[in-house]
Amino acid sequence: MSGGTELHCSSGVEVKNPDPVSKNLSNGNGNVNGNCQNGDAKSFKIFIGYDPREDLAYEVCRYSLLKRSSIPIEIFPIKQSELRQKGVYWRERGKLESTEFSFSRFLTPFLANYEGWAMFVDCDFLYLGDIKELVDMTDDKYAIMCVQHDYTPKETTKMDGAVQTVYPRKNWSSMVLYNCGHEKNRALTPDVVNKETGAFLHRFQWLEDDEIGEVPFVWNFLVGHNKVVEGDQSTYPKAIHYTLGGPWFEQWKDCEFGDLWLNELEEYKKAAEKKVD
């Protein structure tokens, strides 16, 4: 199910589109623009980090976005194997990279042809809100926008034993709205993404601080860190981030908000079965 790219129109129509890397190589740029079948509404591009160990996480994240979106969206999995095959990504995997998309995520502006706004998000998210609300927050004066967490994890490991690293701006890069047409983001070429350090990329060091806009924390609600305040709607999560590990891993079946993810998984499975029928 995870190999194709889906376009979801507000009318509920879904159509298949080519993967962004193939388009990038065929036309000499990163163009992944797509439209609804009527050709009127331009879709918002979303790139989800993909890791084979977390295929179900990717599918549920994608399903939750499609299910609740009131605007046309295109979803592309960022698969390292495909990027390598196309010659877009070639850096060796480091010991501290907990997922296959630790660095390939920063190819988002390139894959979007350095045009318009697009979003990157880790696969371990569950969206509870309409992505239109997030798109409506975009402000062209910023190069990127994200939740600016003040987060230092206490755990030394996460997911299925992966090392938990600690660094400034931790988790800022896990969900980013990219102003792909911003001049500064043209610095994120494949050459730069393949050679620059983790500090340069994850701390957004190609940007000035005032070029980074802020998004409410509820759009990157860190399980185990952020808290819901009863009666305060502004603290209710719009997108849950299972940053330490989610219910798709056996040892995290009972994590906070795990029941919401498992319910979404069942819905996704039923929807997938209907498509097959």
Side-chain angles (χ1 to χ4, degrees):
M1 294 292 295
S2 60
T5 301
E6 302 264 347
L7 169 61
H8 176 262
C9 297
S10 55
S11 62
V13 176
E14 294 181 25
V15 296
K16 291 286 185 181
N17 289 300
D19 72 271
V21 183
S22 293
K23 281 190 174 183
N24 172 45
L25 295 181
S26 63
N27 64 13
N29 56 39
N31 185 8
V32 293
N33 289 331
N35 297 301
C36 289
Q37 288 180 314
N38 60 17
D40 294 330
K42 192 171 183 179
S43 59
F44 180 68
K45 294 175 285 294
I46 300 173
F47 296 84
I48 302 179
Y50 182 86
D51 192 301
R53 299 172 307 150
E54 299 183 86
D55 178 75
L56 270 183
Y58 164 80
E59 293 290 0
V60 172
C61 178
R62 183 182 70 83
Y63 177 80
S64 69
L65 281 160
L66 290 168
K67 172 183 171 182
R68 296 174 176 86
S69 179
S70 63
I71 61 173
I73 59 175
E74 276 183 297
I75 297 179
F76 300 93
I78 293 186
K79 293 187 175 184
Q80 188 180 122
S81 59
E82 293 178 0
L83 295 172
R84 289 187 182 278
Q85 184 181 6
K86 305 292 185 180
V88 176
Y89 190 78
W90 57 85
R91 73 185 293 159
E92 292 185 13
R93 183 166 180 173
K95 295 180 180 179
L96 297 180
E97 293 179 46
S98 59
T99 66
E100 287 196 359
F101 49 86
S102 292
F103 290 108
S104 57
R105 69 183 70 212
F106 297 103
L107 289 170
T108 295
F110 166 78
L111 294 172
N113 195 27
Y114 303 108
E115 293 178 351
W117 283 85
M119 185 176 80
F120 170 84
V121 63
D122 286 2
C123 64
D124 55 354
F125 272 65
L126 174 68
Y127 278 83
L128 304 179
D130 183 349
I131 197 67
K132 180 182 184 298
E133 297 177 42
L134 200 54
V135 174
D136 286 346
M137 295 180 198
T138 57
D139 188 332
D140 286 341
K141 73 179 180 181
Y142 297 118
I144 67 168
M145 299 180 71
C146 65
V147 175
Q148 300 181 11
H149 290 294
D150 180 11
Y151 174 62
T152 303
K154 299 175 183 177
E155 298 80 6
T156 57
T157 60
K158 63 176 182 176
M159 297 186 191
D160 53 350
V163 175
Q164 177 69 273
T165 54
V166 179
Y167 51 86
R169 296 182 172 176
K170 176 76 172 176
N171 266 313
W172 287 28
S173 63
S174 58
M175 190 196 78
V176 181
L177 289 164
Y178 282 95
N179 183 359
C180 301
H182 194 284
E183 182 180 1
K184 287 289 191 73
N185 286 329
R186 291 187 175 274
L188 293 178
T189 63
D191 283 340
V192 167
V193 172
N194 278 281
K195 73 179 183 182
E196 275 294 354
T197 64
F200 178 86
L201 294 168
H202 285 281
R203 300 179 199 176
F204 309 129
Q205 289 181 351
W206 71 94
L207 301 173
E208 301 297 327
D209 288 353
D210 63 2
E211 293 169 329
I212 305 173
E214 189 164 6
V215 170
F217 79 93
V218 291
W219 285 102
N220 190 343
F221 190 101
L222 301 178
V223 174
H225 174 68
N226 294 125
K227 301 298 180 185
V228 174
V229 177
E230 188 174 353
D232 184 353
Q233 289 283 344
S234 68
T235 66
Y236 290 10
K238 301 277 191 176
I240 297 173
H241 185 188
Y242 301 90
T243 182
L244 297 176
W248 53 95
F249 292 125
E250 187 61 36
Q251 62 269 41
W252 292 97
K253 290 285 188 186
D254 298 321
C255 68
E256 187 180 14
F257 300 111
D259 56 331
L260 297 182
W261 189 91
L262 290 170
N263 289 340
E264 200 83 1
L265 173 64
E266 288 307 309
E267 276 194 33
Y268 155 72
K269 287 181 176 178
K270 289 178 181 177
E273 288 173 0
K274 285 184 179 180
K275 279 189 178 182
V276 172
D277 294 341

